[in-house]
Amino acid sequence: MFHRLLLAAGLAIVLASPARAASPDEISALRAEFDRKFQSLQADYEARLKVLESRVQTAEIKADNAQQDAAANASPPPVSSNAFNPDISLILQGAYIDRAGGERPITGFMPAGEHAHGERGFTLDHTEVVASANVDPYSRAFVNLALADEEVEVEEAWFQSLRLGHGLTVKGGRFRSGIGYQNEKHPHAWDFADNNLMYSALFGEALKQDGVQVRWLAPTELFLELGAEVAKGQFFPGSDGGADKNGAGAWAAFAHVGGDVGIAHSWRAGVSYLRASPREREAFLDDINDFEALTAFSGRSSAWLADFVWKWAPDGNPRQRNFIFAAEYFDRDEDGDLLCQDDSAAGGACLGLTDRYDSAQSGGYVQAIYQFMPRWRTGLRYDRLDGGSVDLGANGAFFDSADFDPSRWSLMTDYSPSEFSRFRLQFARDKSFQDDPDNQVILQYIMSIGAHGAHKF
């Protein structure tokens, strides 16, 4: 633009000259002279800009170095007043559930817990009490208690380092394992009213660890996180018997990688491994006479997990609209011995035998959540498990063989009047229990009171 204005001004002066009109050669010469001066001026400014940029960069480096030196030599900062006034929140989570009653374990899979009885009708579910604060400049503490009728369960109670540096953090106590994608989320942060079948089969609700976790965050532009855990191993797929020893009864490792694609898209992928050594892990199974037999498994349980998440928000702003796609897959092997006990006098089939047990099973889920307008979301989830192969040895004669792959479709929509409350309506076609598909309806509410930390990606 400046080029054109100068040229126009020059031409106007020449043409307006009272002495004579400018010839084409003079105009061309004037144009060439102008171009040379303009290019010279442009080169001069570019050189000066480079010098300034170099000075700014040098100043920034010096400032960073000075800041790091000051931080290294400085005395520890005083303990935050927040340590004496921790963030405390109360989360209420209840529902009305319409579904089939009785014991409905996932067919073909060892129940993660002695029984598989789901509530129905009006239910308070459980209430969570959460408190967290920085203990001092070096560590942070967190506790999550789940309150139910006549029960208080410690969901999590851990400390975490804050100043190890080099991208390292250490967490100790009871915590939700870092494996997979959904495992670290508490039920109030789930996108559906109930758990997916994969986690129900693997852990019941989620894998908890009593032990130590180490994470390392790589200093790269691409998100890269590595982690490892050693734990007591009393929770499924481990057992109290397997945890009753010195040393670790379970260990896990995980790696996550992710990043952004433009300003509207982000993603994360991961792979995890879990190994546990249960001993006398109890579970109830229906035998061929429809009696409830008590089984006890001792051996090795190992599982691979893979997860992937893709998020979209127009212009990077998720408040108006956003979309989340998530999928996870697992492959689990268990081998060892299985004891089957029954009340033979009452008609039970098992004879108290201990024989080999070997299983190889897999499965996963995919789900998509779409916030189509502020406060309103809808989501669809599909679960499918592969019964794989299960060898019960001599005890196989006391159980019906199950050539069955459990599955379930779930459709939900929820409305959040604010960030502290949510109402959800969910319908599911559940085929996880052989020969008895079930249509389920859940109307759920979630209310949060008090300060509560942000949820993970």
Side-chain angles (χ1 to χ4, degrees):
M1 178 61 74
F2 183 66
H3 181 168
R4 294 178 178 176
L5 289 174
L6 287 178
L7 178 62
L11 292 174
I13 293 172
V14 172
L15 294 174
S17 173
R20 62 180 178 85
S23 67
D25 292 341
E26 290 174 326
I27 293 176
S28 298
L30 181 60
R31 185 194 299 272
E33 182 181 357
F34 172 80
D35 288 342
R36 284 194 301 273
K37 290 183 178 179
F38 181 78
Q39 291 173 359
S40 175
L41 184 64
Q42 187 178 29
D44 181 59
Y45 272 105
E46 287 179 352
R48 294 170 64 184
L49 283 174
K50 286 182 181 178
V51 172
L52 288 175
E53 288 174 353
S54 176
R55 289 177 179 174
V56 171
Q57 188 175 15
T58 302
E60 288 178 346
I61 293 173
K62 289 181 178 179
D64 289 343
N65 292 337
Q67 190 174 12
Q68 291 177 7
D69 292 341
N73 298 325
S75 300
V79 176
S80 169
S81 60
N82 191 46
F84 306 104
N85 297 286
D87 293 337
I88 298 177
S89 63
L90 179 68
I91 300 168
L92 309 177
Q93 184 172 299
Y96 175 79
I97 304 174
D98 187 321
R99 64 183 171 197
E103 298 275 347
R104 293 180 61 85
I106 301 175
T107 299
F109 286 76
M110 282 288 182
E114 295 180 357
H115 294 277
H117 181 80
E119 285 192 277
R120 60 176 178 168
F122 291 100
T123 174
L124 190 59
D125 201 349
H126 66 263
T127 300
E128 294 181 51
V129 178
V130 183
S132 65
N134 287 353
V135 178
D136 53 32
Y138 308 103
S139 58
R140 175 172 175 260
F142 175 92
V143 63
N144 183 303
L145 305 176
L147 311 180
D149 291 338
E150 302 177 358
E151 292 182 2
V152 177
E153 181 181 1
V154 180
E155 287 275 336
E156 293 190 271
W158 47 257
F159 74 92
Q160 186 178 40
S161 65
L162 294 177
R163 297 185 56 156
L164 287 183
H166 306 290
L168 284 171
T169 57
V170 174
K171 182 185 289 184
R174 176 173 296 178
F175 52 86
R176 288 187 168 230
S177 172
I179 64 173
Y181 169 63
Q182 181 163 296
N183 194 71
E184 291 188 285
K185 293 185 175 182
H186 287 268
H188 69 269
W190 293 349
D191 291 315
F192 290 82
D194 52 7
N195 208 355
N196 57 69
L197 289 183
M198 170 179 162
Y199 276 73
S200 296
L202 283 176
F203 314 122
E205 180 179 300
L207 177 63
K208 291 181 289 188
Q209 303 270 47
D210 282 9
V212 178
Q213 177 193 76
V214 179
R215 290 178 186 254
W216 176 68
L217 185 62
T220 57
E221 185 175 347
L222 186 73
F223 172 76
L224 172 61
E225 178 190 60
L226 305 178
E229 303 166 355
V230 290
K232 187 178 182 67
Q234 76 271 39
F235 298 112
F236 195 93
S239 70
D240 288 331
D244 185 17
K245 65 177 184 180
N246 295 320
W251 65 272
F254 53 86
H256 297 133
V257 61
D260 297 327
V261 181
I263 62 172
H265 303 269
S266 58
W267 62 279
R268 201 198 81 166
V271 61
S272 310
Y273 179 77
L274 168 67
R275 180 159 180 157
S277 302
R279 192 176 65 195
E280 299 178 350
R281 187 184 71 197
E282 296 184 346
F284 288 95
L285 300 176
D286 288 340
D287 64 20
I288 53 176
N289 295 335
D290 287 335
F291 273 73
E292 198 173 58
L294 174 62
T295 64
F297 169 72
S298 300
R300 176 189 61 85
S301 177
S302 60
W304 284 97
L305 290 80
D307 62 88
F308 179 76
V309 183
W310 185 281
K311 295 186 176 182
W312 168 82
D315 299 323
N317 179 12
R319 297 184 64 86
Q320 299 296 319
R321 291 182 298 140
N322 65 74
F323 177 81
I324 304 173
F325 172 84
E328 292 192 75
Y329 176 82
F330 80 93
D331 189 296
R332 181 177 69 183
D333 292 316
E334 292 192 321
D335 62 81
D337 297 320
L338 186 73
L339 166 66
C340 183
Q341 294 178 318
D342 225 338
D343 187 354
S344 302
C350 284
L351 301 176
L353 297 177
T354 298
D355 202 8
R356 70 178 185 277
Y357 174 84
D358 189 0
S359 69
Q361 299 175 306
S362 60
Y365 73 93
V366 294
Q367 67 179 45
I369 308 296
Y370 180 47
Q371 178 174 304
F372 52 92
M373 60 185 298
R375 302 181 180 180
W376 284 93
R377 307 190 312 164
T378 186
L380 181 65
R381 180 181 66 191
Y382 178 62
D383 300 275
R384 188 172 185 84
L385 304 181
D386 183 353
S389 61
V390 179
D391 182 1
L392 294 170
N395 287 311
F398 310 127
F399 297 95
D400 293 323
S401 61
D403 183 14
F404 180 69
D405 294 331
S407 65
R408 182 177 61 187
W409 283 98
S410 303
L411 175 66
M412 78 85 190
T413 184
D414 59 33
Y415 171 71
S416 301
S418 72
E419 59 181 305
F420 302 104
S421 60
R422 172 167 290 170
F423 298 92
R424 176 180 290 138
L425 177 63
Q426 178 174 312
F427 172 78
R429 175 67 171 170
D430 183 11
K431 295 183 178 180
S432 62
F433 190 61
Q434 191 171 17
D435 299 329
D436 189 14
D438 185 32
N439 294 326
Q440 304 171 345
V441 178
I442 303 177
L443 180 60
Q444 182 189 41
Y445 67 85
I446 301 171
M447 303 286 172
S448 177
I449 305 171
H452 188 71
H455 296 132
K456 290 182 175 292
F457 178 83

